[in-house]
Amino acid sequence: MWKSYEDLQVLKGVSFELAEKEVKVIFGPSGSGKSTLLRCINMLNPPDKGEIFLHGKNITASGVNLNEIRTRIGMVFQHFNLFAHLKAIDNVSIGLRRVKGFSKEEAREKALEALERVKMAEWADHYPAQLSGGQQQRVGIARALSMEPDIILFDEPTSALDPELIGEVLQVMLDIAKAGTTMVVVTHEMGFAKAVATEMIFLSEGAVIERGTPKHFFMKPESERVRKFLKQLEVLYGTHEQMIDLLEEEEK
Amino acid sequence: MPDLADILIYIVTKGLAQTLLMTVLGLLIGFVLGIILALMRVYAGKELNWLASGYEKIFRGIPILVLIYIFAFGVPELFWYVDPLQRPLASIIFALGLRSGAYQSQIFRGAILSVNPGQIEAARALGMSGLQTFRHVVLPQALRLAMPSWSNEYSVVIKDSSFAYAVGIVELTRAAYNFSYAFRGFWTVSIGVLAILYFLLTYPITKLFGEHQTKKLKKLGMGGG
């Protein structure tokens, strides 16, 4: 896939395949095109060049019903993007009702099931503003889950959250990954990647620099760029010894 | 000698119905027009956008009394289908409505634009069409967001309906005027009662839909924070 915004080339020929039940983790520095890549996949932001196939069907071709395609590609956003005027339950059921044409009762029942899966059923009647960030994000995940999509895209789902709220969201993501959900996750949560990623892709300046299993990345990453980036993440989330190492390196 | 109650009863019975009729119809015309113009400004192409913005500029730039004169005496043919006796009333409702449309367009445009774009993206990602997104996500929030400014517009229209006296319609202001004309020496009292009456008609509405609604919106975290 290729994508540019005016002069800025954001994606320079990124390509990958995703098998059923796979969990793909995409990471890399900010501005590397991760979010753009996700928005290309569900055609919110169609690529300039390149093709996307969903179950063998080219969704980038002209004349494709994109609304129908998008019901099969769920998305979870960095800033949750819950509908502010709707209670949690209605945030989840609105897609079922308005897009899938479920009756009010059916939609409510399915929405409650989805909220149950993210452990938010008891908050069903709360408005988004009455929920913590972690709770809002779990509702966001339930909203995507309830549509029973083929794939769910996660756009930095925990990076807008306070540290103590990240765990509850990651737990839910681990649960649904283990339940066999096909996922593409843009995240810097390396613990999550280690636990469930089938493949990790390191993106930098719109191109794939390196790809492999979590084991590959954490044991013997090839490129210097990746090593440095992983080290920086460790400094942020890891131990002080490593921070000292890095400082010493800089001094040399 | 008339007392305060007499004055109040006279003004209300002679004028309240007309004032409310002009206000409600004026606001209604303005609402339909305002929504259409706002949609043109936000979603339509360059030409329609230009047209809507031109309309706003013109109608916001002309005093209401001048508009009333234009519709009442300038283009009376506009109301050929209305009973000749009702034409002055029609012309002021028209003037209030057309001008309110220009202001309401700005209110609704601002409200539509302040719906968080992330939510629109989320709606599209769920598979909603553009129209469904507007109907179920943008419009319900825009209407709530518009309420405080809209209640202000109500108070503008109800007060400006007093200009109807200029084309001989008996509404609150004219009724008060007539009363003080009949009972010399009661000018100050009857106009005072009139002023208080207008205040009572506007304050509760602006309080309820203005301040109260603003607090409610804040609680829901709507309108970009």
Side-chain angles (χ1 to χ4, degrees), chain A residues 6-217:
Chain A
E6 293 178 17
D7 292 342
L8 187 69
Q9 205 169 3
V10 187
L11 292 179
K12 304 165 188 164
V14 174
S15 181
F16 65 86
E17 271 181 35
L18 188 67
E20 227 167 285
K21 301 196 178 180
E22 220 186 315
V23 176
K24 194 107 31 189
V25 166
I26 296 170
F27 69 117
S30 63
S32 58
K34 306 178 300 275
S35 294
T36 304
L37 179 65
L38 291 191
R39 278 166 177 72
C40 282
I41 295 174
N42 69 1
M43 298 290 283
L44 277 176
N45 215 334
D48 303 329
K49 209 167 85 179
E51 288 169 327
I52 301 159
F53 292 90
L54 181 63
H55 287 309
K57 185 179 177 186
N58 184 355
I59 66 170
T60 40
S62 60
V64 172
N65 181 351
L66 287 179
N67 294 330
E68 193 271 323
I69 293 293
R70 290 196 191 109
T71 64
R72 293 159 58 193
I73 306 176
M75 187 150 186
V76 174
F77 299 87
Q78 182 179 8
H79 296 287
F80 334 128
N81 296 352
L82 296 183
F83 306 127
H85 64 303
L86 297 178
K87 292 174 178 170
I89 180 85
D90 299 319
N91 261 281
V92 180
S93 66
I94 190 171
L96 296 167
R97 244 165 93 57
R98 303 299 174 191
V99 181
K100 290 208 157 176
F102 282 39
S103 74
K104 205 172 170 181
E105 292 73 31
E106 272 178 311
R108 195 181 160 79
E109 201 174 302
K110 287 210 73 167
L112 263 177
E113 270 171 39
L115 284 176
E116 199 78 60
R117 280 187 75 183
V118 301
K119 302 184 183 66
M120 283 297 292
E122 55 178 312
W123 299 90
D125 287 324
H126 286 69
Y127 285 95
Q130 299 169 319
L131 302 172
S132 74
Q135 292 174 325
Q136 289 190 51
Q137 192 57 296
R138 279 145 65 197
V139 174
I141 293 171
R143 177 170 66 181
L145 273 177
S146 70
M147 300 289 283
E148 297 178 347
D150 299 336
I151 313 166
I152 301 182
L153 311 173
F154 291 80
D155 185 12
E156 305 204 34
T158 58
S159 64
L161 294 175
D162 289 337
E164 74 267 28
L165 302 177
I166 291 175
E168 61 189 64
V169 172
L170 286 180
Q171 189 56 53
V172 163
M173 288 170 60
L174 283 172
D175 290 346
I176 63 173
K178 284 178 181 154
T181 312
T182 313
M183 297 158 68
V184 178
V185 186
V186 170
T187 185
H188 291 147
E189 294 296 337
M190 291 298 125
F192 173 81
K194 266 181 203 166
V196 291
T198 48
E199 189 186 41
M200 294 171 68
I201 295 177
F202 182 81
L203 213 61
S204 178
E205 289 174 5
V208 176
I209 303 295
E210 195 168 334
R211 57 203 298 172
T213 59
K215 204 172 159 191
H216 163 87
F217 272 103

